[in-house]
Amino acid sequence: MKLLHGVVVAVVVGSGALATGQEPGGAGLSRSVPEEQGVSSSAVLGFVEKADATIEGMHSFILVRHGRVVAEGWWSPYDAETRHQMFSLSKSFTSTAVGLAVAEGKLSVDDPVLKFFPDDVPENPSDNLKAMRVSDLLRMSTGHQIEPNRPDDKVWTKLFLSQKVPFKPGTHFLYNTSATYMLSAIVQKTVGKTVLDYLGPKLFEPLGIDDPTWGTSPQGVSLGGYGLSVRTEDIAKFGQLYLQKGKWNGQQLVPESWVAAATARQTSNGSNPKSDWDQGYGYQFWRSRHGAYRGDGAFGQYCIVLPEQDAVIAITSGVKNMQAVLDLVWDELLPALKSETLPADAAASQKLEQRLKSLTLKPQAGAPAPGSTVKVLGKIYKFPANDRKLESITLERAGDGPTTLVIRNNGVDRHVACAPGGWTKGRLVLDGLSGPAEHAAAVSAAWSADDVYTAKIAFVETPFLVTLQLKFDGDQVHLTTESNVGFGPTKRPELVGKAE
C-alpha cells in the first residue's frame, strides 16, 4: 500500500463544508436505549471517556447489542456519512465473496491454486506450489516464508506463483496480503466480476451499504486484502450479519456453514494469552480473546463480534498500538454487557448521548496570531527544488480573521483556511500519490509558539493525520511534516525556505 509512506505537503483547494450524504445504509440498524438491551450507559460512558483520554486517534465507535445500536459516536471532524479506509478489514469481505462463490459451485476450498492461472504457472512448479489450495490462501498458510511483492509493473498473480514455497502448505502461518489478492483474483476468474461488483447485489445492497469503493490492481482485480472503504455503520452491519450466522431480514445471505468455518480457528498463529493476534486464525478472520472473533485493518479498523454476548463493536481509528484499543474494549465494554435488561437510567443514558455528540479530536492548541516581534505575515518563503515539488509558503491574515496558509506546489497556489480552536473541512490535494488527487480532509492550526505555526491535517477518509510545522527564524522558515502512523517513515526531512 503506497498511501502516505512519508506524507508530503498537502494543500486545501476548498474550505467549505463537505457535502452531507444520506444516512449511511439508508434503512440502517435500529436504535435503542442501552439499558433496554442490558447495557450500562455509565459503563459505556466510561469506555468513551477513557478512549478519549488514552487513545490518541479514535475516529468512530458503534456498539450493537441484540441487533440494536445502543451507542455511537464520531470524533469530529470524522462523521457518520464519510467512508473510511478499512485496510486489512477488507480481507473479511473478500472471504465472504469466496464463500458465496463456493456456495454457487464456482470453486471449492480444496481446489489447487494453480488450476485458476494456467498462463501464470512457472516452469517446473515445486511440489509445494502444486499442493497449495484455496483453503491455504484463506487461512494464511500458503507455505511462503516471505510475502510476495506486488509492484505496479508486474502481473501480481504470476509474481505470486513465482515465489518460493519452502514449507508444505497448511503447516506454516504467515500473514500474507498477497494471498488475499489471489482469492480476489480467483473469485473474479470464476464469476466473471470483480469482488466489489460480485458483492454488490449479494451483500452490499441487502445490507444497505451504499457506494462502497475498492481499489484495483494494475490488472483490474479488486485488491482483496485492502482497499475497501465503507462507513462505520457498514462495519457494524457486516458484523451483525456474521453474528446472525449469515442471515439478514429473514434472508440467508451467506451460508451458515461458511460463517462457521470462516470464523473458527483454522490454524494456530501463536500462544501469547494476552495477545489478540495469538488466538488463532480462520478464513480471513482473527480469533480473539473472550470467545470473540474479528476482522481488523491497519492502524485500528475493527469489526469485533462477540457471540456469547450477542454484540458487535465497530471502531475506526488511527493508532500505532492496535492491542491497546482491544484491551480497552475488554476492560471497559465487556463488563457493561449484562445478560438481562437493566433498570432505566435516563440521566446516565442522556449523559452518554450528550458526550457521544460532543466528541472531537483535539484541535491544535495555540494563539491565533504570532508573537509581536515576529513579522512573517504576507512574506513569501521560497524553497529550493525538492521531491515534494514545494515552491513557496506564505501566511496571510486580514485583521482578526483566520490565518490562510498559501502553498505553491507544482506550479499551483493552494489556500488553506486555518481557523484556530476547531476543524475546517475541505478538499485537499496530495502530491506524491499516483498524481495530484483531491481527498476529504480537515485542518486545525494555531501559533504553538511565538515563532512556530503548527497545522494538523486530518485525512478523514483514512487513519492519517499530518502535522505540519513552520518555524520562522529571521528570513528563513523551517518546515517539518510528520504523520501519526504509516507503513514506513512517518517523518519527512526538513525543508528550509527563504523570504524573498
Side-chain angles (χ1 to χ4, degrees), residues 30-49:
S30 58
R31 269 64 181 168
S32 173
V33 174
E35 280 71 19
E36 291 180 358
Q37 307 305 323
V39 181
S40 165
S41 292
S42 295
V44 177
L45 179 61
F47 165 80
V48 172
E49 295 282 12

Side-chain angles (χ1 to χ4, degrees), residues 79 122 136 191 215 483:
D79 58 48
D136 298 317
V191 305
S483 177

Side-chain angles (χ1 to χ4, degrees), residues 88 91 132 135-150 160 163-181 183 266-270 277 280-282 284 286:
S88 285
K91 291 178 169 70
M132 189 190 301
S135 61
D136 298 317
L137 300 174
L138 285 163
R139 57 188 174 175
M140 300 294 192
S141 297
T142 58
H144 289 126
Q145 187 170 20
I146 300 171
E147 178 181 346
N149 292 323
R150 300 178 301 278
F160 181 93
Q163 183 85 3
K164 290 183 179 179
V165 186
F167 303 105
K168 182 180 179 180
T171 65
H172 179 76
F173 178 83
L174 174 71
Y175 195 70
N176 191 333
T177 294
S178 291
T180 316
Y181 174 77
L183 292 170
Q266 295 288 348
T267 189
S268 176
N269 61 353
W277 279 264
Y281 195 76
Q284 308 288 294
W286 296 91

Side-chain angles (χ1 to χ4, degrees), residues 386-404:
N386 56 83
D387 61 354
R388 284 172 263 182
K389 301 180 182 179
L390 174 64
E391 298 172 26
S392 67
I393 283 181
T394 306
L395 286 177
E396 297 179 348
R397 188 167 186 253
D400 294 330
T403 299
T404 298

Side-chain angles (χ1 to χ4, degrees), residues 36-378:
E36 291 180 358
Q37 307 305 323
V39 181
S40 165
S41 292
S42 295
V44 177
L45 179 61
F47 165 80
V48 172
E49 295 282 12
K50 196 163 184 179
D52 197 39
T54 64
I55 306 294
E56 187 174 356
M58 286 287 283
H59 297 164
S60 69
F61 153 73
I62 291 181
L63 171 60
V64 184
R65 186 79 194 286
H66 303 325
R68 294 176 179 269
V69 175
V70 297
E72 59 188 322
W74 285 260
W75 277 255
S76 177
Y78 295 84
D79 58 48
E81 290 79 26
T82 303
R83 290 186 296 268
H84 199 287
Q85 288 183 355
M86 296 294 102
F87 291 97
S88 285
L89 180 47
S90 308
K91 291 178 169 70
S92 302
F93 287 82
T94 299
S95 169
T96 305
V98 174
L100 293 171
V102 167
E104 290 185 332
K106 302 292 186 180
L107 64 114
S108 166
V109 297
D110 296 324
D111 285 336
V113 175
L114 290 180
K115 166 185 174 180
F116 302 99
F117 307 101
D119 296 335
D120 296 334
V121 177
E123 288 187 27
N124 303 315
S126 68
D127 289 341
N128 282 345
L129 178 58
K130 289 188 285 187
M132 189 190 301
R133 303 191 179 276
V134 172
S135 61
D136 298 317
L137 300 174
L138 285 163
R139 57 188 174 175
M140 300 294 192
S141 297
T142 58
H144 289 126
Q145 187 170 20
I146 300 171
E147 178 181 346
N149 292 323
R150 300 178 301 278
D152 287 346
D153 61 343
K154 301 291 184 181
V155 177
W156 290 5
T157 52
K158 188 171 185 176
L159 200 61
F160 181 93
L161 297 176
S162 69
Q163 183 85 3
K164 290 183 179 179
V165 186
F167 303 105
K168 182 180 179 180
T171 65
H172 179 76
F173 178 83
L174 174 71
Y175 195 70
N176 191 333
T177 294
S178 291
T180 316
Y181 174 77
M182 295 298 286
L183 292 170
S184 177
I186 288 171
V187 170
Q188 187 161 329
K189 281 266 189 178
T190 56
V191 305
K193 299 178 181 179
T194 65
V195 165
L196 175 63
D197 291 339
Y198 182 58
L199 288 179
K202 294 179 176 295
L203 183 79
F204 296 134
E205 292 173 17
L207 293 184
I209 296 177
D210 297 330
D211 304 318
T213 63
W214 207 325
T216 59
S217 71
Q219 290 77 49
V221 177
S222 294
L223 294 171
Y226 59 102
L228 176 65
S229 290
V230 295
R231 301 169 179 88
T232 313
E233 185 170 343
D234 300 332
I235 302 172
K237 291 175 183 177
F238 182 68
Q240 187 64 30
L241 171 70
Y242 267 76
L243 180 62
Q244 295 169 178
K245 300 180 180 180
K247 186 173 289 188
W248 190 262
N249 289 336
Q251 182 182 2
Q252 194 73 44
L253 298 184
V254 180
E256 183 175 342
S257 59
W258 184 262
V259 172
T263 61
R265 178 174 173 150
Q266 295 288 348
T267 189
S268 176
N269 61 353
S271 60
N272 183 353
K274 296 182 179 180
S275 171
D276 281 286
W277 279 264
D278 277 22
Q279 306 305 309
Y281 195 76
Y283 287 166
Q284 308 288 294
F285 284 86
W286 296 91
R287 292 295 308 176
S288 299
R289 292 178 292 165
H290 306 289
Y293 61 85
R294 71 188 191 281
D296 69 32
F299 314 123
Q301 326 315 315
Y302 307 86
C303 178
I304 307 166
V305 181
L306 299 95
E308 296 174 13
Q309 291 78 22
D310 193 27
V312 172
I313 299 165
I315 293 173
T316 62
S317 58
V319 298
K320 293 184 176 74
N321 185 352
M322 290 179 63
Q323 182 64 64
V325 177
L326 290 173
D327 288 344
L328 194 60
V329 168
W330 307 140
D331 293 344
E332 301 292 331
L333 276 185
L334 191 60
L337 307 177
K338 306 301 182 182
S339 59
E340 298 179 353
T341 300
L342 299 177
D345 191 341
S349 61
Q350 184 177 17
K351 187 176 181 181
L352 171 62
E353 183 178 1
Q354 291 173 344
R355 185 70 182 94
L356 288 168
K357 289 180 178 178
S358 67
L359 295 171
T360 182
L361 292 184
K362 293 180 178 65
Q364 176 59 46
S372 58
T373 62
V374 180
K375 307 299 182 184
V376 300
L377 297 178

